Amino acid sequence: MKKCEQLYEGKAKKVFATDDPNLVIVSYKDDATAFDGMKKGEIAGKGVVNNRMSNYLMSLLEKAGVPTHFVKELSDRETLVKKVSIVPLEVIIRNVSAGSFAKRYGVEEGIVFDSPTIEFSYKNDDLHDPLLNSYHALALKLATKEEIEKIKAMAFKINEVLKEYFAGLKVKLIDFKLEFGRTPEGEIVLADEISPDTCRFWDAETNEKLDKDRFRRDLGGVEDAYCEMMKRVFGN
Ligand code: TMP
Ligand code: ASP
């Protein structure tokens, strides 16, 4: 597979064309941002952790019947994925109150919900990713009704698979953000990444934060948290 021109550079990843029009290469950076890119930094080794963990979790999800963009890990930082058009929705599943949920509704972090919640943000940096509901997404023609129903069902299924998997590693899956893409055939697949950048992970016994909140909130031990999650997943 030949790596060709760069198509896109995001906050945490670069995307390159290949000699196959249906495949692209994603390259994970160590760059970290928070609060709409207002806070910038670097987390040494993050690109490797996110690449390897995301690929592992996507393979796990594929086995559980969830279609994803994942094709093949090429190196520690680079992965071959299906070229999809990203549905401009950030899909957030929450099992426990934290982050913007706790702030918005004036509740403490750590309240375990009876059943998981779902919310959507409009993926639009200029507008600062505003929260929207599925009617708004339909009105804005961000996705069809069928696609939104599919995305909701896939997101809850992904939550069930991941929650159980992380529980086995003594990690609580607090919340996470997903993105979906459309293949040229019109199939909705899980895209982007699943990593400590996009999930909240708390140690099951101590509730210690093992994710990007350590960077967002200046808690220290950022690299150690990513390393710890890598150890739990791969044992190295
Ligand atoms: P929130 O509580 O800040 O809304 O975040 C919910 C989850 O989504 C959390 O696991 C972190 C993740 N997330 C992203 O992956 N990207 C983002 O831009 C934001 C705001 C949150
Ligand atoms: N990476 C996101 C940004 O810079 C925010 C976050 O993950 O908190 O906007």
Side-chain angles (χ1 to χ4, degrees):
M1 186 57 53
K2 192 162 156 272
K3 185 170 162 185
C4 302
E5 79 277 9
Q6 184 176 309
L7 298 175
Y8 172 79
E9 176 161 10
K11 289 185 281 228
K13 297 188 283 296
K14 292 178 183 176
V15 181
F16 296 88
T18 69
D19 47 10
D20 183 332
N22 292 318
L23 299 174
V24 294
I25 292 172
V26 178
S27 179
Y28 285 73
K29 307 188 283 184
D30 284 350
D31 298 353
T33 64
F35 314 117
D36 250 344
M38 295 285 286
K39 182 182 169 93
K40 287 189 174 69
E42 203 174 276
I43 303 174
K46 171 172 89 80
V48 175
V49 173
N50 289 8
N51 180 45
R52 293 192 53 206
M53 189 185 298
S54 190
N55 292 341
Y56 182 82
L57 296 174
M58 294 229 185
S59 309
L60 198 79
L61 288 164
E62 288 272 0
K63 280 187 206 125
V66 178
T68 78
H69 72 165
F70 176 69
V71 176
K72 186 175 182 242
E73 188 167 288
L74 301 175
S75 70
D76 270 0
R77 286 181 187 270
E78 293 196 329
T79 294
L80 191 64
V81 300
K82 291 177 193 156
K83 185 172 184 176
V84 296
S85 69
I86 293 288
V87 177
L89 290 173
E90 299 201 341
V91 180
I92 295 161
I93 295 277
R94 301 180 191 269
N95 296 305
V96 178
S97 67
S100 69
F101 182 97
K103 197 168 169 204
R104 186 179 321 121
Y105 301 117
V107 296
E108 62 193 287
E109 295 199 311
I111 301 164
V112 180
F113 303 146
D114 290 341
S115 47
T117 69
I118 191 165
E119 70 203 43
F120 299 114
S121 295
Y122 179 19
K123 195 173 149 65
N124 183 318
D125 279 339
D126 293 339
L127 299 175
H128 311 293
D129 300 339
L131 199 64
L132 45 62
N133 66 33
S134 47
Y135 295 90
H136 298 145
L138 266 180
L140 292 167
K141 296 192 171 23
L142 305 183
T144 66
K145 203 169 181 174
E146 293 70 31
E147 285 174 337
I148 292 171
E149 286 315 309
K150 180 100 206 175
I151 285 171
K152 277 187 193 164
M154 284 171 74
F156 284 120
K157 167 93 188 263
I158 291 164
N159 185 42
E160 290 315 308
V161 175
L162 295 184
K163 220 171 34 177
E164 193 187 325
Y165 169 72
F166 283 110
L169 306 179
K170 301 264 182 294
V171 170
K172 290 183 202 166
L173 179 61
I174 304 300
D175 57 30
F176 56 96
K177 185 260 306 180
L178 302 171
E179 293 182 27
F180 293 86
R182 287 181 198 99
T183 65
E185 296 76 40
E187 189 193 12
I188 293 285
V189 299
L190 177 64
D192 194 49
E193 67 180 274
I194 310 175
S195 71
D197 271 23
T198 63
C199 303
R200 285 195 173 93
F201 297 126
W202 293 3
D203 178 84
E205 267 152 37
T206 64
N207 281 342
E208 186 190 350
K209 296 186 198 318
L210 298 172
D211 58 65
K212 195 178 163 190
D213 267 354
R214 302 205 74 87
F215 168 81
R216 295 188 188 99
R217 301 178 186 190
D218 295 318
L219 300 176
V222 183
E223 277 90 0
D224 289 348
Y226 280 75
C227 273
E228 178 60 27
M229 283 308 300
M230 187 81 159
K231 259 193 229 154
R232 301 239 183 150
V233 172
F234 294 106
N236 60 13

